[in-house]
Structures are given as structure tokens and as C-alpha cells.
């Protein structure tokens, strides 16, 4: 069964801390997506990865194909980073399978 | 403004009623999809389309119908609403789910549906 698991489910941090959110998946994905869901409910696509590493501002996403694992890192976290972060795997079809999300709260 | 437009934002239905959630995009995206989001669960794919005239089922298609007569529009129809269909629904579109560019998948603002 194609599954996506995220950890941790909930994460709290002080402003400035380095954040890591993890995502593991089954074999055979063709792409891995990271999304951000704002407290108001809106969803924004952050990254699509099929290999290696991507960086956008303070966000870094990595993927290790052999270990079936991806991480999303936030450097110098800020209260505005508070959101739910979601990973989703594309399993050689056009269907995305989503994790249940990691709720991040960053306190000043 | 370019993006995905979903309507309505809120809807209350009685069991057995039918309705259509509208989704339109103006980015010429071939891929369009509908998801539902329930507390404690991840987003789940209902139906998707890879181009006009082509639709396919996702994880949870029962009770929902879709069509794709144009590139721009992908309406989701609830044929006979049930309380189990109470959820938040998101429409999303993409040029390609394998595109390595930023903002690969563009989501609508969501539609909150309550079935009594």
C-alpha cells in the first residue's frame, strides 16, 4: 500500500530555532511535494523534489531516494512560519498521496 | 488575478440534496484535481483530470461526479449529499505534478460543506 508518514505531528519552537520536519514514503515514487497550509486554511505549494535538495529563502527540502525519506528544514524560524506543513508523494501515477501534516508553532 | 477560483466558500445542504462545487483556473493547466480534508486525516484525492475530456477516480470517489469539458473548468458534483460528505473541499491545478518549478500545484481557497 502506498503510504506517506510525517513526523512529528506537532512541533513548537522558539523564534530563531532550526526546524526539521520528516516525511517517509513507500517505494516507487516519482516526485515528492511539500505544501504549507496557513492558519486560515489556504494551501501553498513549497517544493517539488525528485532528487537532491532545493532551497527557497529560509526553507530547504531534501530527499534521499534510497532511504525513502524527505526532510523540510526551516532556518532561523519566525512566528510567521507557524502553519501546517504537508508532504505528498506521487506514485508513478497522477495521484498524490498526502501525509497528515505537521503543525508547527513558533513563539517569539 | 491568475489562480484557482472555487465557489461557493460555504454551503449547508440537507441529506439527499445535490449540488455542484465549481472550480476554474486561468493558467492553462492541464492537471486539475479535487481533494477533501477531514480533521485528523490528510488531504484525500476524490477525482482528477489530466486534460479536457479525461477524468479518473482518486482514493475516495464514491458519491461524487466530475466532468472536464474545457481546460479551465472542473466542477465537482455531489449527487445525493450524505452527512459523511461534510468536509472542506479543495480544488488544485498544475501544469505538471513532475514540474520542478516553484508553486507546482496551485490550490483554490477551499469550500466548507456541511450536510445535515
Amino acid at each position: 500500500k502506498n503510504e506517506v508518514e510525517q513526523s512529528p505531528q506537532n512541533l513548537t519552537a522558539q523564534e530563531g530555532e532550526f526546524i526539521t520536519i520528516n516525511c517517509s514514503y513507500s517505494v516507487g515514487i516519482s516526485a515528492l511535494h511539500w505544501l504549507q497550509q496557513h492558519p486560515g486554511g489556504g494551501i501553498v505549494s513549497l517544493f517539488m523534489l525528485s532528487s537532491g535538495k532545493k532551497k527557497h529563502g529560509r526553507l530547504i527540502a531534501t530527499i534521499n531516494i534510497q532511504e525513502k525519506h524527505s526532510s523540510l528544514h526551516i532556518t532561523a524560524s519566525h512566528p510567521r512560519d507557524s502553519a501546517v506543513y504537508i508532504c505528498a508523494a506521487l506514485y508513478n501515477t497522477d495521484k498524490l498521496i498526502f501525509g497528515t501534516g505537521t503543525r508547527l508553532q513558533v513563539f517569539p | 488575478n491568475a489562480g484557482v477560483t472555487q465557489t461557493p466558500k460555504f454551503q449547508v445542504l440537507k441529506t439527499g440534496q445535490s449540488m455542484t462545487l465549481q472550480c476554474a483556473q486561468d493558467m492553462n493547466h492541464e492537471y486539475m484535481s479535487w481533494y477533501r480534508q477531514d480533521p485528523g486525516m490528510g488531504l484525500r484525492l476524490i477525482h482528477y483530470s489530466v486534460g479536457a475530456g479525461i477524468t479518473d477516480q482518486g482514493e475516495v470517489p464514491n458519491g461524487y461526479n466530475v466532468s472536464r469539458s474545457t481546460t479551465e473548468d472542473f466542477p465537482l458534483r455531489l449527487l445525493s449529499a450524505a452527512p459523511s460528505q461534510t468536509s472542506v473541499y479543495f480544488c488544485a491545478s498544475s501544469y505538471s505534478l513532475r514540474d520542478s518549478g516553484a508553486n507546482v500545484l496551485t490550490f483554490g481557497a477551499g469550500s466548507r460543506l456541511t450536510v445535515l
Side-chain angles (χ1 to χ4, degrees), chain B:
Chain B
N1 292 333
V4 176
T5 303
Q6 262 185 259
T7 56
K9 285 191 165 40
F10 301 94
Q11 183 72 49
V12 178
L13 289 177
K14 293 181 180 176
T15 297
Q17 286 185 316
S18 62
M19 77 155 298
T20 300
L21 296 173
Q22 302 289 349
C23 178
Q25 53 90 11
D26 57 2
M27 297 170 284
N28 205 30
H29 285 169
E30 291 294 332
Y31 183 88
M32 295 187 75
S33 50
W34 278 103
Y35 305 90
R36 58 178 290 172
Q37 186 175 41
D38 301 295
M41 304 185 73
L43 288 155
R44 291 182 292 168
L45 178 66
I46 304 170
H47 285 285
Y48 67 101
S49 169
V50 297
I54 306 168
T55 63
D56 206 346
Q57 296 181 348
E59 288 180 84
V60 288
N62 293 340
Y64 306 96
N65 208 352
V66 291
S67 59
R68 184 94 180 269
S69 55
T70 66
T71 299
E72 293 78 21
D73 299 297
F74 191 46
L76 179 72
R77 295 181 187 84
L78 280 70
L79 307 172
S80 177
S84 61
Q85 293 178 303
T86 294
S87 188
V88 179
Y89 292 84
F90 288 94
C91 178
S93 73
S94 176
Y95 175 72
S96 166
L97 291 180
R98 295 167 182 80
D99 191 334
S100 60
N103 207 23
V104 171
L105 197 57
T106 304
F107 283 81
S111 300
R112 184 174 294 275
L113 175 66
T114 302
V115 183
L116 303 174

Side-chain angles (χ1 to χ4, degrees), chain A residues 19-35:
Chain A
I19 304 293
T20 295
I21 297 169
N22 298 298
C23 177
S24 60
Y25 51 85
S26 307
V27 295
I29 74 166
S30 57
L32 192 288
H33 290 251
W34 282 101
L35 311 170

Side-chain angles (χ1 to χ4, degrees), chain A residues 27-63:
Chain A
V27 295
I29 74 166
S30 57
L32 192 288
H33 290 251
W34 282 101
L35 311 170
Q36 179 192 53
Q37 185 165 27
H38 298 294
I43 302 174
V44 175
S45 173
L46 297 176
F47 296 105
M48 190 288 289
L49 292 162
S50 54
S51 64
K53 175 179 173 178
K54 286 192 177 173
K55 184 174 189 292
H56 185 255
R58 294 180 295 105
L59 299 177
I60 303 166
T62 64
I63 189 167

